Amino acid sequence: MIKVATLNCNGVRAALRKGLEAWIRRRQPDILCLQEIRATPAALGDWANGPDNWHAYWQPAVKPGYAGVALLSAKPADTINAKFGHPLFDQEGRWLEARFGDLTVISLYLPSGTSGAKRQQIKYQCMDLLRQRLKELQKADRKVIVAGDINIAHTKKDIKNWKNNLRNSGFLPQERAWMDKLVNSGAWIDVFRQLDQGEDLYTWWTQRGNCRQRNVGWRIDYQLATAVVADTALRAAIDKDPILSDHAPVVIDYAL
């Protein structure tokens, strides 16, 4: 069995202060994908190598204190590809690909468009680039898990106040249609939803208005897997406690 977890940590140093390492030791994922690390390995001291006896791979953004992804694993990866091949991903640290035998695990962080029209257009461009890359991965005939913050709530079930967010980035019709194409083809599976169709299951809450306490949230963190991997998924959970970030980890067990 392989346990894969993903978390937008909203700053890995902040998450460590809030108990990230203790959570890792308790939860014992085999692979942990992190997004929005906001730090370089040099800034992390000994933790640049991850917890004791782990292996850590980092792809920070060029801009200090911004974005960036990482992947931590109990066993070393066979190979690491930290380059997507386009500046929108590579300069902002949004893609990190690791291979473990016949399994590929990718830590992904798609941009948000909430800061304005320009960033929304960049988000759309990244979505187009990602769709092409996912097609290539599918054709490569490997077992693949793409884990991370996609910054899109797919359906009304994935957001508390959907009526009030129809014109907001993260729940725009074009974004949801992109998700429809991705998961309705059968090539990529939203593994959490395959296992749990429950209501009020969110992974991110704004820090305003006590939204986390009231569970007024969005489900924008995913594990997307090729069908052969998704068919082995056994259990899925959103770990709301302890609070490590404004996001919560998504943890899925696979019989691989």
Side-chain angles (χ1 to χ4, degrees), residues 31 36 59 64 90 118 132 163 174 187 228 245:
I31 300 169
E36 203 170 353
Q59 176 66 347
D90 295 338
K118 182 178 179 180
Q132 287 303 119
K163 288 182 180 179
Q174 186 171 336
V228 68
S245 164

Side-chain angles (χ1 to χ4, degrees), residues 13-144:
R13 287 171 292 185
L16 285 167
R17 290 193 296 269
K18 295 174 183 177
L20 174 60
E21 186 164 351
W23 176 85
I24 292 171
R25 296 191 186 283
R26 176 177 61 81
R27 231 9 184 123
Q28 295 188 333
D30 297 286
I31 300 169
L32 171 60
C33 297
L34 297 175
Q35 302 85 43
E36 203 170 353
I37 58 173
R38 296 186 180 181
T40 63
L44 296 173
D46 292 341
W47 220 81
N49 298 316
D52 291 343
N53 301 316
W54 273 53
H55 305 270
Y57 309 98
W58 306 90
Q59 176 66 347
V62 172
K63 180 181 176 181
Y66 177 73
V69 292
L71 187 146
L72 310 179
S73 58
K75 294 183 178 180
D78 297 326
T79 61
I80 289 288
N81 175 20
K83 297 297 182 184
F84 183 92
H86 192 284
L88 288 177
F89 282 83
D90 295 338
Q91 291 185 8
E92 295 191 358
R94 297 190 178 275
W95 177 271
L96 183 58
E97 179 179 347
R99 290 191 173 192
F100 304 86
D102 62 353
L103 174 67
T104 296
V105 180
I106 295 159
S107 184
L108 169 70
Y109 182 27
L110 269 185
S112 167
T114 56
S115 62
K118 182 178 179 180
R119 285 302 293 182
Q120 184 64 37
Q121 291 306 310
I122 288 173
K123 182 178 183 179
Y124 285 143
Q125 189 176 352
C126 286
M127 288 161 57
D128 290 340
L129 291 165
L130 178 60
R131 178 182 290 148
Q132 287 303 119
R133 178 56 57 86
L134 292 178
K135 287 180 180 178
E136 294 168 8
L137 285 166
Q138 179 197 351
K139 291 177 182 177
D141 197 28
R142 287 184 58 80
K143 298 173 182 175
V144 184

Side-chain angles (χ1 to χ4, degrees), residues 156-174:
K156 295 174 184 177
K157 187 185 286 188
D158 299 314
I159 182 171
K160 186 66 173 182
N161 291 327
W162 67 268
K163 288 182 180 179
N164 295 332
N165 285 286
L166 289 169
R167 296 184 180 181
N168 291 335
S169 179
F171 199 62
L172 295 171
Q174 186 171 336

Side-chain angles (χ1 to χ4, degrees), residues 4-6 33 35 105-108 145-149 222-224:
V4 178
T6 184
C33 297
Q35 302 85 43
V105 180
I106 295 159
S107 184
L108 169 70
I145 299 170
V146 180
D149 180 359
Y222 294 81
Q223 291 192 35
L224 303 174

Side-chain angles (χ1 to χ4, degrees), residues 123 149-162 165-166 168-180 190 193 201-204 217-222:
K123 182 178 183 179
D149 180 359
I150 294 181
N151 267 312
I152 299 170
H154 183 197
T155 71
K156 295 174 184 177
K157 187 185 286 188
D158 299 314
I159 182 171
K160 186 66 173 182
N161 291 327
W162 67 268
N165 285 286
L166 289 169
N168 291 335
S169 179
F171 199 62
L172 295 171
Q174 186 171 336
E175 296 171 324
R176 289 181 285 125
W178 182 87
M179 287 293 299
D180 284 340
D190 177 353
R193 275 298 181 217
L201 298 169
Y202 309 121
T203 64
W204 174 80
W218 301 48
R219 190 179 71 93
I220 57 176
D221 301 89
Y222 294 81

